[in-house]
Amino acid sequence: WREGALGGRAFDVMMTRLPLAELQSRLDAAFARHPDRASLADFRAPAWLVEAETEALAAAERIVTPHLEIARLFRGRARRLAWQKPAATPMSERVAGRVFFPGPTAARKGAFELREAARALDLEVVLGGSALEGAGFWEGVRTLSPAGGFGGASLVVQPSLVEDQPRTLLRALSSGLPVIATNVCGLAPTDGLTLIPADDPEALIGAISTHQ
Protein backbone atom coordinates (compact mmCIF):
# COMPACT_ATOMS: atom_id res chain seq x y z
CA TRP A 1 0.00 0.00 0.00
CA ARG A 2 2.76 2.49 0.86
CA GLU A 3 4.59 1.80 -2.40
CA GLY A 4 1.44 2.47 -4.41
CA ALA A 5 1.30 -1.03 -5.93
CA LEU A 6 -2.44 -1.25 -5.20
CA GLY A 7 -3.24 2.12 -6.75
CA GLY A 8 -6.04 1.89 -9.31
CA ARG A 9 -6.66 -1.78 -8.52
CA ALA A 10 -9.62 -3.45 -6.85
CA PHE A 11 -8.58 -5.74 -4.02
CA ASP A 12 -10.00 -7.72 -1.11
CA VAL A 13 -8.34 -8.33 2.25
CA MET A 14 -8.38 -11.60 4.18
CA MET A 15 -8.42 -10.68 7.89
CA THR A 16 -7.75 -12.99 10.82
CA ARG A 17 -7.25 -10.31 13.48
CA LEU A 18 -8.73 -6.94 14.34
CA PRO A 19 -7.36 -3.88 12.55
CA LEU A 20 -4.34 -2.55 14.43
CA ALA A 21 -6.05 0.75 15.25
CA GLU A 22 -9.02 -1.06 16.82
CA LEU A 23 -6.89 -3.68 18.54
CA GLN A 24 -4.58 -1.13 20.15
CA SER A 25 -7.46 1.14 21.11
CA ARG A 26 -9.09 -1.68 23.04
CA LEU A 27 -5.88 -2.63 24.78
CA ASP A 28 -5.20 1.04 25.65
CA ALA A 29 -8.68 1.35 27.14
CA ALA A 30 -8.19 -1.84 29.16
CA PHE A 31 -4.82 -0.61 30.42
CA ALA A 32 -6.42 2.68 31.48
CA ARG A 33 -8.93 0.69 33.54
CA HIS A 34 -6.25 -1.62 34.95
CA PRO A 35 -2.91 0.24 35.11
CA ASP A 36 -1.48 -2.52 37.32
CA ARG A 37 -1.67 -4.98 34.40
CA ALA A 38 1.48 -3.91 32.59
CA SER A 39 1.25 -6.54 29.84
CA LEU A 40 -1.80 -4.76 28.43
CA ALA A 41 0.56 -2.00 27.27
CA ASP A 42 3.00 -4.38 25.53
CA PHE A 43 3.59 -4.71 21.79
CA ARG A 44 2.29 -1.61 20.03
CA ALA A 45 2.79 -1.21 16.29
CA PRO A 46 4.53 1.92 14.99
CA ALA A 47 2.21 4.76 13.97
CA TRP A 48 3.15 4.55 10.28
CA LEU A 49 2.04 0.91 10.12
CA VAL A 50 -1.29 1.60 11.82
CA GLU A 51 -1.93 4.50 9.46
CA ALA A 52 -1.01 2.51 6.35
CA GLU A 53 -3.20 -0.42 7.35
CA THR A 54 -6.14 1.87 8.11
CA GLU A 55 -5.85 3.52 4.70
CA ALA A 56 -5.53 0.20 2.86
CA LEU A 57 -8.52 -1.32 4.65
CA ALA A 58 -10.61 1.75 3.83
CA ALA A 59 -9.79 1.25 0.14
CA ALA A 60 -10.49 -2.49 0.04
CA GLU A 61 -13.62 -3.64 -1.77
CA ARG A 62 -14.27 -6.53 0.59
CA ILE A 63 -13.02 -7.83 3.92
CA VAL A 64 -13.03 -11.62 3.95
CA THR A 65 -13.02 -13.24 7.39
CA PRO A 66 -14.48 -16.04 9.50
CA HIS A 67 -14.31 -13.78 12.57
CA LEU A 68 -17.76 -12.47 13.50
CA GLU A 69 -16.51 -9.34 15.24
CA ILE A 70 -14.23 -8.36 12.37
CA ALA A 71 -17.13 -8.84 9.97
CA ARG A 72 -19.30 -6.55 12.08
CA LEU A 73 -16.67 -3.81 11.99
CA PHE A 74 -16.85 -3.72 8.20
CA ARG A 75 -20.58 -4.45 7.87
CA GLY A 76 -21.65 -4.14 4.23
CA ARG A 77 -18.15 -4.82 2.89
CA ALA A 78 -17.59 -8.03 4.85
CA ARG A 79 -17.81 -11.51 3.45
CA ARG A 80 -17.97 -14.10 6.21
CA LEU A 81 -16.42 -17.51 5.84
CA ALA A 82 -17.30 -20.53 7.97
CA TRP A 83 -14.77 -21.60 10.58
CA GLN A 84 -13.29 -24.99 9.85
CA LYS A 85 -14.30 -27.32 12.65
CA PRO A 86 -11.40 -29.39 14.00
CA ALA A 87 -11.73 -33.07 14.81
CA ALA A 88 -13.13 -33.98 18.21
CA THR A 89 -10.69 -34.68 21.04
CA PRO A 90 -11.30 -37.99 22.86
CA MET A 91 -12.03 -37.46 26.55
CA SER A 92 -12.02 -40.16 29.21
CA GLU A 93 -13.25 -38.04 32.13
CA ARG A 94 -14.80 -34.73 33.06
CA VAL A 95 -14.03 -33.56 36.57
CA ALA A 96 -16.58 -31.22 38.15
CA GLY A 97 -15.06 -27.91 39.19
CA ARG A 98 -12.14 -28.27 36.78
CA VAL A 99 -11.91 -25.79 33.88
CA PHE A 100 -9.53 -25.61 30.94
CA PHE A 101 -7.97 -22.22 30.17
CA PRO A 102 -6.45 -22.13 26.64
CA GLY A 103 -4.35 -19.14 27.67
CA PRO A 104 -1.71 -17.99 27.55
CA THR A 105 -1.74 -16.60 31.09
CA ALA A 106 -1.90 -12.97 30.04
CA ALA A 107 -4.17 -10.04 30.86
CA ARG A 108 -5.41 -9.74 27.29
CA LYS A 109 -6.61 -13.35 27.42
CA GLY A 110 -8.66 -12.79 30.55
CA ALA A 111 -6.30 -14.43 33.03
CA PHE A 112 -7.08 -11.90 35.77
CA GLU A 113 -10.82 -12.42 35.41
CA LEU A 114 -10.45 -16.21 35.49
CA ARG A 115 -8.19 -16.05 38.53
CA GLU A 116 -10.84 -14.04 40.37
CA ALA A 117 -13.53 -16.54 39.37
CA ALA A 118 -11.36 -19.52 40.34
CA ARG A 119 -10.76 -18.10 43.80
CA ALA A 120 -14.43 -17.26 44.29
CA LEU A 121 -15.71 -20.66 43.12
CA ASP A 122 -12.77 -22.83 44.27
CA LEU A 123 -12.05 -24.00 40.72
CA GLU A 124 -9.17 -26.12 39.54
CA VAL A 125 -7.64 -24.58 36.41
CA VAL A 126 -5.94 -26.59 33.68
CA LEU A 127 -3.41 -24.27 32.05
CA GLY A 128 -3.13 -24.80 28.34
CA GLY A 129 -0.76 -21.96 27.49
CA SER A 130 2.46 -20.33 28.58
CA ALA A 131 2.76 -18.16 31.73
CA LEU A 132 3.31 -14.49 30.87
CA GLU A 133 2.23 -12.79 34.10
CA GLY A 134 4.91 -14.07 36.48
CA ALA A 135 5.54 -17.27 38.38
CA GLY A 136 3.26 -16.44 41.32
CA PHE A 137 0.27 -15.32 39.29
CA TRP A 138 -1.97 -18.30 40.13
CA GLU A 139 -1.23 -18.22 43.86
CA GLY A 140 -4.32 -19.35 45.76
CA VAL A 141 -5.65 -21.33 42.78
CA ARG A 142 -5.25 -25.05 42.19
CA THR A 143 -3.65 -25.50 38.76
CA LEU A 144 -2.32 -28.34 36.65
CA SER A 145 -0.83 -28.84 33.20
CA PRO A 146 -2.61 -31.22 30.83
CA ALA A 147 -0.88 -34.37 29.67
CA GLY A 148 -2.95 -34.03 26.53
CA GLY A 149 -6.37 -32.91 25.42
CA PHE A 150 -8.35 -30.88 27.94
CA GLY A 151 -6.95 -32.44 31.10
CA GLY A 152 -10.24 -33.82 32.34
CA ALA A 153 -11.91 -30.40 32.48
CA SER A 154 -15.68 -30.18 32.42
CA LEU A 155 -15.66 -26.69 30.91
CA VAL A 156 -13.44 -24.53 28.69
CA VAL A 157 -13.15 -20.87 29.70
CA GLN A 158 -11.47 -18.12 27.65
CA PRO A 159 -12.57 -14.64 28.86
CA SER A 160 -10.36 -12.76 26.39
CA LEU A 161 -10.26 -9.01 25.90
CA VAL A 162 -9.12 -9.67 22.30
CA GLU A 163 -9.18 -12.98 20.44
CA ASP A 164 -8.26 -13.79 16.86
CA GLN A 165 -7.70 -17.56 16.75
CA PRO A 166 -10.45 -19.42 18.64
CA ARG A 167 -9.18 -22.81 17.45
CA THR A 168 -9.20 -24.40 20.90
CA LEU A 169 -12.75 -23.21 21.47
CA LEU A 170 -13.84 -24.78 18.20
CA ARG A 171 -12.11 -28.03 19.13
CA ALA A 172 -13.87 -28.07 22.49
CA LEU A 173 -17.26 -27.49 20.89
CA SER A 174 -16.58 -30.25 18.35
CA SER A 175 -15.79 -32.54 21.30
CA GLY A 176 -19.04 -31.73 23.06
CA LEU A 177 -17.32 -29.74 25.81
CA PRO A 178 -19.16 -26.56 26.86
CA VAL A 179 -17.34 -23.27 26.34
CA ILE A 180 -17.57 -19.88 28.05
CA ALA A 181 -15.98 -17.07 26.07
CA THR A 182 -16.37 -13.35 25.66
CA ASN A 183 -18.31 -11.78 22.83
CA VAL A 184 -15.00 -10.80 21.17
CA CYS A 185 -14.02 -14.44 20.50
CA GLY A 186 -15.06 -14.36 16.84
CA LEU A 187 -17.63 -17.16 17.08
CA ALA A 188 -21.34 -16.82 16.43
CA PRO A 189 -23.79 -18.10 19.05
CA THR A 190 -24.12 -21.87 18.88
CA ASP A 191 -25.04 -24.82 21.05
CA GLY A 192 -22.60 -25.32 23.90
CA LEU A 193 -21.19 -21.77 23.70
CA THR A 194 -21.94 -19.17 26.37
CA LEU A 195 -20.92 -15.62 25.43
CA ILE A 196 -20.32 -12.98 28.11
CA PRO A 197 -19.00 -9.38 28.07
CA ALA A 198 -15.24 -8.91 28.20
CA ASP A 199 -13.61 -7.57 31.38
CA ASP A 200 -16.58 -8.60 33.54
CA PRO A 201 -15.58 -10.98 36.38
CA GLU A 202 -19.11 -11.04 37.82
CA ALA A 203 -20.57 -12.19 34.50
CA LEU A 204 -17.86 -14.84 34.27
CA ILE A 205 -18.55 -16.11 37.79
CA GLY A 206 -22.26 -16.26 37.03
CA ALA A 207 -21.72 -18.15 33.77
CA ILE A 208 -19.38 -20.70 35.36
CA SER A 209 -21.77 -21.18 38.28
CA THR A 210 -24.53 -22.30 35.93
CA HIS A 211 -22.29 -25.16 34.72
CA GLN A 212 -21.34 -26.43 38.19
Side-chain angles (χ1 to χ4, degrees):
W1 175 258
R2 295 184 76 205
E3 293 174 355
L6 298 175
R9 292 186 168 93
F11 63 94
D12 301 336
V13 178
M14 172 68 182
M15 293 202 72
T16 58
R17 61 149 173 78
L18 292 171
L20 287 171
E22 179 69 20
L23 175 62
Q24 296 185 166
S25 174
R26 294 186 185 193
L27 292 175
D28 289 345
F31 184 58
R33 293 191 301 271
H34 307 287
D36 56 314
R37 304 177 186 180
S39 66
L40 289 172
D42 290 345
F43 309 116
R44 294 297 189 266
W48 70 262
L49 183 58
V50 177
E51 181 180 355
E53 184 190 64
T54 300
E55 292 174 356
L57 291 174
E61 286 202 340
R62 293 189 305 173
I63 305 299
V64 183
T65 182
H67 198 290
L68 179 60
E69 192 181 21
I70 294 173
R72 285 173 173 168
L73 286 175
F74 293 93
R75 300 188 179 276
R77 290 194 292 143
R79 177 191 172 192
R80 277 195 64 205
L81 304 177
W83 287 103
Q84 182 177 354
K85 293 183 179 179
T89 298
M91 289 178 288
S92 58
E93 61 175 344
R94 293 188 185 185
V95 179
R98 181 182 294 177
V99 303
F100 182 86
F101 177 52
T105 296
R108 67 184 64 197
K109 295 300 183 181
F112 284 84
E113 289 77 14
L114 180 55
R115 183 178 65 178
E116 182 174 336
R119 289 171 175 171
L121 300 174
D122 190 27
L123 302 173
E124 184 176 35
V125 180
V126 182
L127 301 175
S130 55
L132 304 179
E133 294 290 347
F137 179 83
W138 293 103
E139 184 176 352
V141 177
R142 291 174 291 127
T143 63
L144 56 93
S145 299
F150 293 100
S154 59
L155 181 66
V156 173
V157 181
Q158 181 82 329
S160 298
L161 302 181
V162 293
E163 184 63 59
D164 55 8
Q165 293 289 339
R167 301 294 182 186
T168 301
L169 308 185
L170 288 165
R171 183 161 56 89
L173 292 170
S174 293
S175 304
L177 197 59
V179 171
I180 296 174
T182 55
N183 48 20
V184 304
C185 73
L187 303 180
T190 188
D191 291 343
L193 174 63
T194 300
L195 296 173
I196 61 172
D199 197 10
D200 191 336
E202 291 186 4
L204 178 60
I205 290 171
I208 294 175
S209 296
T210 64
H211 288 275
Q212 300 303 303

